[in-house]
Amino acid sequence: MAARLLPDGRRERYREEWSADLRDAPAAGISSTQLVSGAFGVVLRTPRSAKAFGLTPSALAGRRLRWSVAWIAAATALALGSLFTRPFLAGGPIGGTPAVDLVVVALVGCVGLIWLAAATHGLLAASGPALRWGGTLCVAVVAVPALAVVAVAVMPMMMLGGMFAGVATFVFAWGLPADADPERRRTWPGLPARLGTRVTALVGALVVLGGAALAVAHILVWNPSAKVPGLTVPEIYAQMAARSEPAGDAVIWAVVWGATWVPLGLLFLATAIFGNRGPLRRLDARRVARAALVALIGIGFTQWVAGFSMGMSVADAFAVSGGDSALSGLLLTAAATVAGVIVALRVLPPASVAAAPSATG
């Protein structure tokens, strides 16, 4: 952890030194606790200026801003996971009570605010102390209500964009320009490419097509059955029609939503068969893995949009709740939450600065 908290250019050097020190400490009569505390002392004394990182102030602020976005995105994924799993678990995926969920989400979000404050502080490094610290505090304080407003807008945004999430992911995965330098593509943060492009693409196709099919089955079969136990699905649909709540439009809505994910799954399947050549040249293993994770987030967190009509029809026809009741909904939400945290903390952060700093100031 101490090594990870150091500037990128110094990290490997100190990691090697500290590992050797820990290995040789017993023979020298030095406790590992002393070495670890000394390592964190080095971390606290290490300069954090742009010069120490070998970057311009604006470049360093941009890196810190990306870390801020990453941690706030992780908090958002955890908050959505807690919200959607509350019908199944008291207090959501983190356990305990809703207050525990709120505390964990707030702590993760606060890390993002700290990075935001650090970015602001770095940009104002040339200013006087009053302006630098006052501006940093101002940005941190204003960010809290601003994020609250964004949080309130999340649900309407998901409602509007949930039906197009699959198409949007397909367009970005296929059409987003790739860096011309293959070495940069290999070292850019994200998932490792150990499986190779074709195997990764096959796994991605199974995730997207299987996830979409699971979500549609959840909306149309498993969730209605869980809400109205004792009746078969045809009997549920027949009673819905008899009570002026026909399922026809809701079925079409769910199937159309599921179909929007099929092009992305077929794109991955084509990559698995033909490799990333010709029109598929941008789909290397890392891009496929990242796009599959984004798709998993979209499927898990927007399936309620596709199932909203069916849920309301079942609720009105049988006087039950409109939320998820089948365990398939819990699985979809849990997968989306885990994928959201992975994308937030593995894909959104900036790449490491490869060059060691030229100065210590």
Side-chain angles (χ1 to χ4, degrees), residues 69-174:
V69 171
W71 282 96
I72 292 172
T76 302
L78 290 171
L80 288 173
S82 176
L83 175 66
F84 289 131
T85 55
R86 196 153 287 161
F88 305 96
L89 304 173
I94 304 168
T97 64
V100 174
D101 285 3
L102 183 61
V103 168
V104 173
V105 170
L107 287 175
V108 174
C110 280
V111 176
L113 290 178
I114 291 170
W115 277 109
L116 178 61
T120 305
H121 192 271
L123 281 177
L124 299 175
S127 306
L131 178 59
R132 185 166 67 250
W133 288 103
T136 300
L137 181 61
C138 230
V139 167
V141 170
V142 170
V144 175
L147 289 172
V149 171
V150 172
V152 172
V154 164
M155 284 301 173
M157 289 168 59
M158 291 174 67
M159 197 73 181
L160 291 172
M163 292 298 293
F164 306 101
V167 176
T169 308
F170 168 83
V171 170
F172 279 102
W174 192 11

Side-chain angles (χ1 to χ4, degrees), residues 162-170 208 212 254-265:
M163 292 298 293
F164 306 101
V167 176
T169 308
F170 168 83
V208 174
V255 171
V256 168
W257 174 86
T260 63
W261 293 100
V262 172
L264 181 64

Side-chain angles (χ1 to χ4, degrees), residues 257-293:
W257 174 86
T260 63
W261 293 100
V262 172
L264 181 64
L266 294 180
L267 181 69
F268 289 163
L269 193 59
T271 306
I273 295 172
F274 302 108
N276 57 326
R277 62 185 70 180
L280 306 173
R281 61 187 177 278
R282 297 190 180 108
L283 291 161
D284 57 14
R286 288 179 185 271
R287 174 170 291 199
V288 170
R290 282 178 243 143
L293 281 171

